[in-house]
Amino acid sequence: RGQGGVRGGSDAAPADSVLQGRGRRRIGRDAVRGTAETPSFVRPDSLARAVPHARDADGIFLRAFLWRAAIAHESVRGHVACGLPHVEKNDLTDAPLTFVDTAGAGFDELWNELLESRENPQEADLAVKLANSLLAFGFAPRELALITPYVAQARRLKGLMRSSGVEVGSVDGFQGREKEAVILSLVRSNEKGEIGFLGDTRRMNVALTRARRLLIVLGDSAPIGRHPFYSAFLEYAEKRGRYRSAWEWI
């Protein structure tokens, strides 16, 4: 087991479960058409100007910064985590984006009655494992953040990362701020394909643009892929070879 590769033998992920998850996310793919030249998802420091929203045929708002003509400035377009002198170069740090698909891994969301919010324990465990890997690769705790749209998940992550020095919080609480690396936990994973306020694409645009050099997104492609915004995001990650399975770390 471990970060190096997919589990083998009797513990191997059922191939059909992973492929089924990736296949189901294609439901909404044709709803959004991107431009030929799609910008990096990492927000460049030099691009602070506001970009107007673009509206597709279904009335879904997609931030032009993510999907349209706003191309990162030349001075920051190639910025990746391993460009920092103290960070090791490997398959996570040599590109600005990685999507980790939890489809088929049994990472089910739970409802937290006390906080009236959702959490995903297995996804939280994986987010912490990835955070610890980044720390081992050379990131300083102050350079890394774990964020999530859900209060219950944020609380769970804070408990798991206690004493690490890594900042953990909600998407809303992280507005206007950045880190060199950000791990984003989307939480939602259910049979009904419900994504709740992940459908607020303006809020999620904030979440996707908090990283300067490295953004790692954890989520279940089956429910989120039904939404045009996430379908386009998943397609972007897959076309650039930045689409990976949670089974690689289980």
Side-chain angles (χ1 to χ4, degrees):
R1 299 188 184 187
Q3 190 172 329
V6 181
R7 296 191 303 178
S10 60
D11 289 333
D16 57 347
S17 68
V18 176
L19 293 174
Q20 181 183 16
R22 293 187 66 173
R24 281 182 294 178
R25 74 175 177 78
R26 297 176 183 274
I27 293 173
R29 173 169 289 183
D30 291 336
V32 175
R33 304 269 182 201
T35 58
E37 187 175 16
T38 309
S40 167
F41 284 94
V42 179
R43 181 177 184 268
D45 297 336
S46 62
L47 192 61
R49 61 184 173 81
V51 182
H53 289 87
R55 189 181 180 104
D56 70 8
D58 295 325
I60 304 297
F61 284 100
L62 303 177
R63 287 289 280 181
F65 176 78
L66 291 177
W67 310 114
R68 305 298 179 190
I71 304 300
H73 189 273
E74 290 179 359
S75 63
V76 295
R77 191 178 302 166
H79 279 197
V80 291
C82 62
L84 295 170
H86 53 280
V87 173
E88 173 187 329
K89 182 177 181 179
N90 54 47
D91 58 358
L92 273 181
T93 64
D94 67 353
L97 170 72
T98 294
F99 174 72
V100 180
D101 191 359
T102 66
F107 288 13
D108 298 326
E109 67 182 63
L110 302 175
W111 176 252
N112 186 310
E113 292 284 353
L114 179 63
L115 298 177
E116 296 185 340
S117 179
R118 299 185 189 277
E119 58 188 331
N120 191 317
Q122 294 97 331
E123 186 172 291
D125 290 342
L126 179 53
V128 169
K129 183 177 290 188
L130 288 166
N132 287 332
S133 292
L134 293 183
L135 293 174
F137 297 153
F139 275 98
R142 68 178 182 280
E143 296 176 318
L144 173 63
L146 277 72
I147 62 175
T148 177
Y150 291 92
V151 172
Q153 186 78 339
R155 182 173 178 178
R156 176 175 288 274
L157 288 168
K158 285 179 181 178
L160 293 170
M161 293 299 293
R162 187 179 294 116
S163 77
S164 69
V166 173
E167 184 173 357
V168 178
S170 68
V171 168
D172 291 341
F174 212 72
Q175 289 194 46
R177 304 180 52 227
E178 297 176 337
K179 293 285 186 178
E180 297 293 349
V182 172
I183 297 174
L184 170 62
S185 171
L186 296 181
V187 176
R188 301 308 299 263
S189 180
N190 57 78
E191 294 282 337
K192 295 181 180 179
E194 297 174 346
I195 64 170
F197 58 67
L198 291 186
D200 181 350
T201 56
R202 284 170 289 187
R203 170 186 281 175
M204 294 313 299
N205 177 66
V206 170
L208 292 169
T209 55
R210 296 305 91 196
R212 294 193 187 105
R213 293 175 180 266
L214 174 60
L215 172 66
I216 300 176
V217 181
L218 282 71
D220 185 341
S221 64
I224 68 171
R226 302 183 185 195
H227 190 289
F229 182 90
Y230 297 101
S231 179
F233 173 80
L234 296 173
E235 184 171 19
Y236 177 97
E238 190 167 24
K239 282 184 175 179
R240 286 153 183 80
R242 305 311 303 170
Y243 192 112
R244 300 177 66 172
S245 169
W247 285 99
E248 297 179 49
W249 288 272
I250 297 176

